[in-house]
């Protein structure tokens, strides 16, 4: 039987789906029997999903322009170590 | 999700090859493809707009200068992320040198993996907020993490690098990546519960 502490220790690998079959069965059983661990599992999973779903913002135009200007200067000068 | 599709990664090798042989338009195309992600990464690590812009420029200037040393064994993106992480960490150390900011493993007091908030969340909690509100909530939560946890979380769960790639980029062991990631995820979960919990549910004490 897994304790809640064991569950927490394995939580990461469980979320990343990198636990072996035998352990996976035990973890799955624990979440069906332990409401608290189910909530921790479910909300941590949602945390990761929400972060992964967020697109990077478009870079402010002036920052993009300065980047391209610096690059073009370097390209014109030819390769060299800065 | 990443804006880079599988098809784009698949046909990226010829583009990188053209850039390597001196085609500046090809290199500019790579910049356009990844500048947003690199800037976001830089901002997350340095937490300073000025530093983030420096990191962005340094990353692509260095990538351009050292393009010959890019072997093509890894993805181009993974390669520039490593450059960007190094630049960002240097900035972070420089700016915070007067205070004690350590990227070493913080001692595990048990505090970081303590679970306090047990509350059920909404089914799609992010839909309760506008895009901008959500971005602010998420960014603030990440900013509040210790640098050692923040950097690992950003690379693993935002930039979606593998455990191995994250370990290499930060020059730490794989077990260190795993333990920091767990602590980061649990702390963020705690912080976000305040915003995403289903109304009317009680919070239980736990563990
Ligand atoms: Zn439990």
């Amino acid at each position: 039987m897994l304790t809640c502490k064991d569950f927490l220790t394995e939580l990461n690998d469980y979320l990343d789906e990198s636990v072996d079959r035998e352990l996976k069965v035990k973890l799955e059983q624990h979440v069906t029997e332990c409401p608290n661990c189910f909530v921790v599992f479910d909300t941590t999973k949602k945390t990761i999903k929400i972060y992964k779903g967020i697109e990077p913002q478009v870079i402010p135009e002036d920052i993009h322009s300065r980047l391209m200007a610096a690059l073009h200067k370097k390209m014109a000068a030819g390769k060299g170590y800065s | 999700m990443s804006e880079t599709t599988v098809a784009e990664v698949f046909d990226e090798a010829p583009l990188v090859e053209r850039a390597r042989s001196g085609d500046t338009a090809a290199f500019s195309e790579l910049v356009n493809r990844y500048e947003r992600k690199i800037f976001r990464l830089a901002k997350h690590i340095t937490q300073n707009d000025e530093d983030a812009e420096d990191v962005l420029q340094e990353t692509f200037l260095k990538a351009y200068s050292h393009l010959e040393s890019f072997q093509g064994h890894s993805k181009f993106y993974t390669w520039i992320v490593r450059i960007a992480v190094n630049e960002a960490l240097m900035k972070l150390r420089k700016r915070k040198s007067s205070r004690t900011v350590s990227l070493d493993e913080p001692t595990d007091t048990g505090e970081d993996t303590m679970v306090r908030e047990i509350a059920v969340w909404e089914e799609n909690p992010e839909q309760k907020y506008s895009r901008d509100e959500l971005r602010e909530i998420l960014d603030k939560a990440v900013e509040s993490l210790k640098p050692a946890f923040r950097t690992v979380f950003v690379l693993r769960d935002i930039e979606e690098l593998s455990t191995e790639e994250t370990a290499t980029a930060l020059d730490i062991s794989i077990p260190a990546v795993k333990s920091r990631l767990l602590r980061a995820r649990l702390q963020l979960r705690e912080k976000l519960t305040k915003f995403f919990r289903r109304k009317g549910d009680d919070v239980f004490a736990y563990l």
Side-chain angles (χ1 to χ4, degrees), chain A residues 2-5 7-8 30-31 33-38, chain B residues 206-207:
Chain A
L2 287 180
T3 64
C4 295
K5 220 177 162 63
F7 182 83
L8 212 53
H30 189 85
V31 284
E33 290 166 355
C34 176
N36 282 354
C37 283
F38 172 76
Chain B
Y206 183 66
L207 294 182

Side-chain angles (χ1 to χ4, degrees), chain A residues 4 12 16 36-37 39-40 43-44 46-48 51-52 54-55 57 59 64 66 74 80-81, chain B residues 1 32 35-36 40 53 65-66 118-119 121-123 135 138 142 156-157 178 182 185 189 206:
Chain A
C4 295
N12 244 11
D16 295 336
N36 282 354
C37 283
V39 171
V40 173
T43 53
T44 309
K46 282 175 177 153
T47 299
I48 298 165
Y51 274 104
K52 285 193 174 162
I54 199 129
E55 291 279 338
Q57 269 175 308
I59 293 191
H64 174 76
R66 287 196 289 269
K74 178 136 206 145
Y81 295 89
Chain B
M1 224 46 63
N32 283 322
E35 62 176 356
R36 287 188 287 166
R40 174 172 70 176
E53 181 172 355
S65 297
H66 298 268
I118 303 288
W121 286 11
E122 304 269 348
E123 207 33 61
R135 219 186 274 280
L138 298 179
V142 169
R156 281 286 284 116
D157 284 343
K178 289 189 168 184
L182 175 65
R185 284 172 168 178
R189 191 202 74 83
Y206 183 66

Side-chain angles (χ1 to χ4, degrees), chain B residues 107-120:
Chain B
T107 35
D108 194 351
T109 53
E111 190 80 349
D112 299 322
T113 46
M114 185 109 71
V115 177
R116 293 182 193 83
E117 296 269 14
I118 303 288
V120 177

